[in-house]
């Protein structure tokens, strides 16, 4: 066996779903569903594909604060409108990415987009929380809107499909998002019988979320839609084969080796920083956003 293969540590079924607000039915793979080494990725909420009925009043999540990290929302089906207290707003449609750096603090709300809500239909999303290093936690909030058309693509040989490079780089294709630490976030769109190979440093925490289809990893492990493939921190090379036409969200990043203090929507390094975040929020220092 090639010693440089990054071996699978586990293929994980989706944990029981729970509702976030009334618009997002999510499986929390980590940190609550499974205890995984995935820093700098702190949270993965997967809204598996469900049908929402038509409704005049959009479902969603009301105004809530964030501090100390980034939220990354990736749309596969449906449409989400969002607003924040820094004055940013927009809509993400299938293939789009909303990359919000909450950092020093922001208020945020997200709802099903109005036209989608009135019509109803298939809805499927991923939200990631990406931790920030201590030196960047209190930086200015910012927002990166990445439409599907703008995201960098690498065409795979032999009509295997393509890699959409949201962040980091894949071979010679550089990702569209700016990041604070070394991370790779890709959407792999793999055709049936297509192959793609990846190379990540041994110490990078790595996982594949199978969004659609079915894949074989390293010619051994089979992973179906809605499962998470988690890798060991050894070896570098991963081979993926499409057993069906498949979409796979690929995550790999250098761990941030700093202490974590987490409470609700705040992700800091020390308990006193959590207390400060709560105090700042209560004093209105995160700005104002209408419900």
């Amino acid at each position: 066996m090639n010693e440089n293969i990054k071996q699978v540590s586990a293929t994980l079924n989706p944990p029981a779903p729970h509702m976030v607000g009334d618009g997002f039915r999510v499986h929390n793979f980590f940190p609550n569903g499974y205890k995984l080494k995935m820093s700098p990725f702190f949270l993965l909420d997967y809204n598996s594909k469900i049908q929402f009925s038509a409704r005049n009043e959009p479902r969603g999540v009301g105004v809530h604060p964030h501090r100390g990290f980034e939220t990354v929302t990736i749309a596969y089906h449906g449409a989400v409108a969002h607003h924040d207290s820094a004055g940013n707003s927009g809509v993400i449609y299938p293939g789009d990415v909303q990359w919000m750096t909450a950092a020093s603090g922001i208020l945020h709300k997200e709802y099903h987009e109005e036209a989608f809500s009135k019509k109803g239909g298939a809805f499927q999303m991923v939200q990631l929380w990406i931790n920030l290093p201590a030196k960047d936690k209190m930086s200015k909030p910012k927002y990166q809107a990445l439409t599907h058309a703008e995201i960098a693509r690498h065409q795979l040989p032999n009509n295997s499909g393509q890699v959409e490079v949201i962040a980091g780089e894949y071979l010679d294709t550089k990702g569209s998002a700016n990041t604070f630490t070394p991370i790779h976030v890709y959407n792999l769109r793999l055709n049936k019988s297509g192959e793609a190979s990846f190379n990540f440093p041994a110490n990078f925490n790595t996982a594949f979320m199978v969004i659609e289809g079915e894949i074989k990893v390293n010619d051994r492990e089979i992973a179906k839609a809605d499962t998470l493939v988690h890798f060991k921190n050894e070896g570098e090379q991963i081979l993926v084969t499409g057993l069906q036409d498949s979409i796979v969200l690929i995550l790999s990043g250098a761990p941030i080796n700093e202490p974590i203090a987490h409470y609700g929507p705040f992700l800091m390094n020390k308990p006193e920083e959590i207390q400060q975040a709560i105090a700042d929020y209560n004093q209105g220092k995160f700005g104002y956003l209408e419900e």
Side-chain angles (χ1 to χ4, degrees):
M1 184 183 290
N2 185 340
E3 290 180 6
N4 205 29
I5 295 290
K6 193 182 279 291
Q7 302 289 345
V8 171
S9 72
T11 300
L12 303 167
N13 289 321
H18 67 275
M19 293 301 295
V20 177
D22 66 355
F24 302 90
R25 191 201 68 167
V26 303
H27 307 271
N28 180 257
F29 275 93
F30 57 85
N32 298 323
Y34 297 97
K35 303 302 178 197
L36 302 177
K37 275 181 66 180
M38 276 305 296
S39 173
F41 305 98
F42 179 77
L43 172 148
L44 190 158
D45 269 347
Y46 172 54
N47 189 133
S48 57
K49 192 193 296 178
I50 55 171
Q51 295 288 327
F52 277 108
S53 58
R55 183 166 144 175
N56 283 331
E57 188 67 28
R59 301 172 176 89
V61 184
V63 176
H64 55 281
H66 291 302
R67 172 179 280 181
F69 63 101
E70 302 183 286
T71 69
V72 178
T73 306
I74 305 167
Y76 296 97
H77 290 278
V80 172
H82 57 89
H83 302 267
D84 68 38
S85 54
N88 299 305
S89 66
V91 178
I92 56 169
Y93 297 100
D96 297 347
V97 177
Q98 175 209 338
W99 195 297
M100 186 183 78
T101 305
S104 63
I106 207 163
L107 300 179
H108 190 232
K109 63 179 180 179
E110 45 209 332
Y111 288 90
H112 293 190
E113 184 268 336
E114 202 169 337
F116 170 78
S117 190
K118 284 187 164 68
K119 188 177 174 185
F123 191 85
Q124 187 180 27
M125 303 267 161
V126 167
Q127 186 169 89
L128 305 168
W129 289 13
I130 300 177
N131 195 15
L132 291 172
K135 66 182 180 62
D136 297 313
K137 281 189 179 293
M138 294 301 287
S139 58
K140 188 179 175 185
K142 68 173 185 175
Y143 173 74
Q144 300 176 77
L146 308 174
T147 66
H148 189 221
E150 294 169 336
I151 291 171
R153 288 166 170 73
H154 183 98
Q155 297 297 328
L156 297 167
N158 305 318
N159 194 34
S160 288
Q162 62 180 6
V163 179
E164 295 174 359
V165 189
I166 297 167
E169 59 276 330
Y170 178 73
L171 300 177
D172 56 351
T173 303
K174 190 152 176 46
S176 303
N178 295 313
T179 67
F180 288 81
T181 59
I183 60 174
H184 303 287
V185 179
Y186 315 144
N187 268 326
L188 167 64
R189 298 181 186 267
L190 196 60
N191 296 327
K192 184 177 180 180
S193 303
E195 287 189 346
S197 58
F198 300 90
N199 196 303
F200 300 120
N203 71 311
F204 274 36
N205 293 320
T206 303
F208 289 7
M209 180 75 235
V210 186
I211 305 294
E212 300 272 0
E214 187 174 358
I215 60 171
K216 184 181 275 190
V217 181
N218 296 333
D219 286 329
R220 294 185 61 185
E221 314 277 344
I222 290 176
K224 298 177 185 295
D226 302 337
T227 62
L228 184 79
V229 183
H230 185 249
F231 292 86
K232 296 179 181 178
N233 290 99
E234 54 191 53
E236 297 180 349
Q237 295 172 7
I238 302 169
L239 176 68
V240 186
T241 308
L243 301 180
Q244 304 171 6
D245 288 354
S246 300
I247 301 173
V248 185
L249 174 62
I250 293 177
L251 307 172
S252 188
I256 298 173
N257 295 314
E258 295 176 353
I260 281 180
H262 169 237
Y263 176 78
F266 306 126
L267 185 57
M268 305 301 290
N269 299 105
K270 303 171 185 171
E272 53 266 36
E273 293 170 335
I274 295 289
Q275 298 302 322
Q276 187 63 55
I278 293 168
D280 289 350
Y281 169 63
N282 288 333
Q283 290 166 23
K285 293 184 178 177
F286 284 46
Y288 175 76
L289 183 62
E290 193 174 327
E291 280 284 359

